[in-house]
Amino acid sequence: MTALGTPPRIAAKQRPGDRVFAGSAVLAGSLILATLALVAAFLVIQSVPAVTVPADQLSILGGDTFLEYVVPLVFGTVWAALIALVLAVPVSLGIALFISHYAPRRLAEGLGYVIDLLAAVPSVVFGLWGGNVLAPAIQPVYTWLWENLSFIPLFAGPPSGTGRTVLTAGIVLAVMILPIITALCREVFLQTPVLHEEAALALGATRWEMIRMTVLPFGRPGIISAVMLGLGRALGETMAVAMVLSATGVITVNLISSINPSTIAANIALSFPEAYGDNVSVLIATGLVLFAITLVVNAIARVVVNRRKDFSGAN
């Protein structure tokens, strides 16, 4: 007994297996942070010539400064990703709710497997489909939009003759991120406590009212996380955008014109084979900008999720 009359604390004995597991977990987490720091350091070091070498000595800039070169790429990257989110998120939520709360069990299982398989399709396949199938098929729609809705800046036209526009690229990106968002949202919705759902139904709520009052509030952090994960995929997608988008490196919100902004990832993929010397540093610097954008997006998502942690499935 201690002076205060309370029994002394007895240190808990750890088994060797527990110590090995704890050490392995700490090592794995440290390796992830170390790898992230090394990647950031590499990008920063290799990007120095892009801002220190005079612009007229960097042929890839075409006479512009690095800032003038990278701003249209940042705009195109964010613009294409936002288009993809606007198209994919409502569809993904609808499919996830249908699978988790409306579809019969056998149909739900089959749809779940199909969605999971779509997430494994290589991006080059989506690029081939978008450039050779979707773009020619959707071109008449762009013509109709220009003829009837040209007073809206988004459809000011003139329409592209090939259909390879930023809207086509956004549709392809939406199809690519749709299975990711759907699969995560489906699992989150299935974690909703059954007692909450039954209580809402017992009080007279319809199925949609039950979903709106219990499932969606409970799954909000998971939905945000799924959307941000899909946004990260859209921001960093390379081959599909490079194969679909006919880019000219401008800033425009016109969705159906042949004059389109490019994305950072697609620009790196298309320009890297011909780059040399300090021009490579310019491309690496744009990759650093994309790296920073991704970190900011994930940090914002973490802040939003933490503000709603009381409603997360983990709690």
Side-chain angles (χ1 to χ4, degrees):
M1 299 292 287
T2 62
L4 297 178
T6 57
R9 290 186 178 181
I10 300 177
K13 259 189 175 181
Q14 279 193 340
R15 297 179 180 179
D18 294 335
R19 290 195 294 268
V20 171
F21 178 79
S24 301
V26 172
L27 178 61
S30 301
L31 284 177
I32 293 175
L33 294 177
T35 303
L36 188 64
L38 289 175
V39 170
F42 167 80
L43 292 174
V44 171
I45 294 172
Q46 295 295 322
S47 301
V48 171
V51 294
T52 58
V53 175
D56 56 1
Q57 297 182 19
L58 299 171
S59 59
I60 196 172
L61 297 181
D64 297 330
T65 64
F66 175 75
L67 186 62
E68 294 172 334
Y69 176 78
V70 75
V71 167
L73 296 177
V74 172
F75 171 81
T77 301
V78 176
W79 183 232
L82 289 178
I83 294 172
L85 284 185
V86 170
L87 296 175
V89 171
V91 178
S92 299
L93 291 178
I95 296 175
L97 287 173
F98 177 75
I99 293 175
S100 61
H101 287 82
Y102 285 95
R105 181 178 297 274
R106 289 186 178 180
L107 178 60
E109 291 179 354
L111 286 176
Y113 292 142
V114 171
I115 294 297
D116 293 339
L117 287 175
L118 281 176
V121 176
S123 59
V124 67
V125 175
F126 285 108
L128 290 171
W129 168 75
N132 299 326
V133 178
L134 178 62
I138 205 171
Q139 196 279 331
V141 177
Y142 293 161
T143 302
W144 183 90
L145 291 172
W146 176 58
E147 293 175 348
N148 296 275
L149 300 175
S150 59
F151 59 91
I152 301 176
L154 297 176
F155 311 119
S160 170
T162 61
R164 294 175 176 267
T165 69
V166 68
L167 180 56
T168 305
I171 295 174
V172 173
L173 289 176
V175 175
M176 295 180 67
I177 67 176
L178 187 143
I180 299 174
I181 301 176
T182 300
L184 293 176
C185 290
R186 178 193 66 202
E187 296 302 322
V188 170
F189 294 156
L190 289 174
Q191 298 302 317
T192 306
V194 178
L195 290 178
H196 293 186
E197 298 179 359
E198 292 178 348
L201 294 173
L203 291 174
T206 63
R207 179 168 295 188
W208 166 243
E209 290 173 337
M210 178 270 293
I211 291 174
R212 184 167 54 86
M213 291 187 298
T214 62
V215 177
L216 293 180
F218 178 84
R220 187 175 290 115
I223 295 173
I224 296 173
S225 300
V227 170
M228 290 304 172
L229 185 61
L231 177 59
R233 173 71 186 275
L235 288 172
E237 180 52 44
T238 303
M239 290 309 301
V241 178
M243 297 172 68
V244 172
L245 186 60
S246 177
T248 55
V250 298
I251 297 179
T252 177
V253 296
N254 195 336
L255 297 177
I256 62 175
S257 172
S258 58
I259 301 176
N260 301 288
S262 183
T263 66
I264 294 176
N267 181 70
I268 293 175
L270 295 175
S271 303
F272 202 86
E274 300 177 356
Y276 59 90
D278 291 333
N279 292 300
V280 176
S281 298
V282 175
L283 296 178
I284 295 177
T286 61
L288 176 62
V289 174
L290 180 59
F291 182 78
I293 293 174
T294 305
L295 287 182
V296 170
V297 168
N298 282 277
I300 294 174
R302 176 54 53 190
V303 170
V304 174
V305 170
N306 285 340
R307 291 180 61 184
R308 302 291 302 179
K309 63 182 179 182
D310 292 339
F311 297 93
S312 69
N315 295 329

